Structure formats: C-alpha cells, structure tokens
Amino acid sequence: MMNYENITLKQYTNIHSVLENKELDDLQKNIEILKIISGKDYGKEDIKVFLDEVKKLKFLNEKIPTKSVQRSYIINGRKYRLQTDIKNLTVNQYMDYSNYLNMGKSKTEIIPKLISIILIPQSAEYYNDGTYSVGDVIKDIEDINVIDANSIAFFLSNQLRVYNVHFLYCLILKMWWKKVMKKITTQEYQTIKTHCKNLASLIILQMQYN
C-alpha cells in the first residue's frame, strides 16, 4: 500500500527532488516517483497498469502527518536515543544546528542533518563525542520512516523556539537586575527590553503558524 507509513525519509527526499525538477513533465515525474517507491520501472508497463499505480500517489498531495516522538529508535539494527531536553544542548549541537540551517539547501535535504543533532547512538555519552561518525548517523536517519522523521524535526523546531523565548525572558530579567544594581542606564535597559519582547513575540507567532 502506498502511503507515508511505507516511505523512508530518503525516498521522500528523492520524491521531493523529482517534483521540484522543472525539466520533467508530469508523465516522467510519475514514472520516477513510482520507481523510487517500488523500485520498478513503470515506463515498460502497460498504460492501464501504470495509470492505476499513479492513482495511488494521491497521498503525496497531503501533508506528512506527525505523531508523538519516542525516547528511542532502532534504525538498521542500531539503537538511538532522542535527546528531548533541549535546554541541555551543548554549544556544538547548537552551532551545528545553525550551520545546517544556513547551508542554503532545501528543508527536505537538511532534515537528516538536523535530526542527527538530537538523535544520538545509545552507546555514545553525548553528541559527537568521538565514539561515532555523525555522517553514519545521518545515513541511518535517511532510512527512518518519513512520519517519524517529520515528527522529530517538528519536535526539535518547536522545542528550540520555546527555549529561545525562555532565554529571551531570562535576558530581560538579567538586564533588569543590572539596572537595579545601576550597571546600565534606564535607556539601555528599555531598549534591550523592547527588543527582547518583540523578538519573543515574533517567535511565539511563528510557533502558532508552523
């Protein structure tokens, strides 16, 4: 049965690339997509069989669903744990996350890399601790079901936004304390406070519409 439950993240990434390819017409796109999903070349099939299979691709017009994330995942026989406590991210994790976002590639292409920030081999002590290859983890993540991948990516994005709001309000409180201690001027305090509140409001607004 063709649905998101039977599609891996790598397959979906390849499907997305086909759909974005302006050099292919609809017929060519459908042939390529069916080949990605089934491994079969439908270009050599009877047209009726082909059209029946194309009808099954309707699910691609729907959004990828999400579900509750798990604390651990087994991918290609290897166990991974999900770091759900985002506020305990290391500097390296946050830097890599920012670098991946700024790679200039489509969101679909960088999802395996983003997920690798918080999906860590069970045997590792912490992210990129030198006992494993991040590149190998990314390759494993490409084989995860696309619904699981989308759920983890959605979880990471939302948790980081919540954390950023918390961080900004903590910064406001810190500035307030410095003001009390007369280490910054009232004007400096008001400027920083306004900027932080505006940024926090923007992040909250993004959370509501994403």
Side-chain angles (χ1 to χ4, degrees), residues 133-150:
S133 165
V134 174
D136 288 342
V137 170
I138 291 172
K139 288 180 180 178
D140 267 353
I141 291 171
E142 290 178 342
D143 290 332
I144 200 172
N145 174 265
V146 69
I147 297 177
D148 285 326
N150 189 48

Side-chain angles (χ1 to χ4, degrees), residues 153-164:
F154 183 77
F155 167 82
L156 174 60
S157 177
N158 277 349
Q159 289 297 309
L160 279 174
R161 286 171 183 155
V162 170
Y163 175 72
N164 285 339

Side-chain angles (χ1 to χ4, degrees), residues 108-119:
T108 306
E109 290 180 278
I110 64 173
I111 282 180
K113 296 179 175 62
L114 295 178
I115 292 175
S116 73
I117 299 295
I118 59 170
L119 196 60

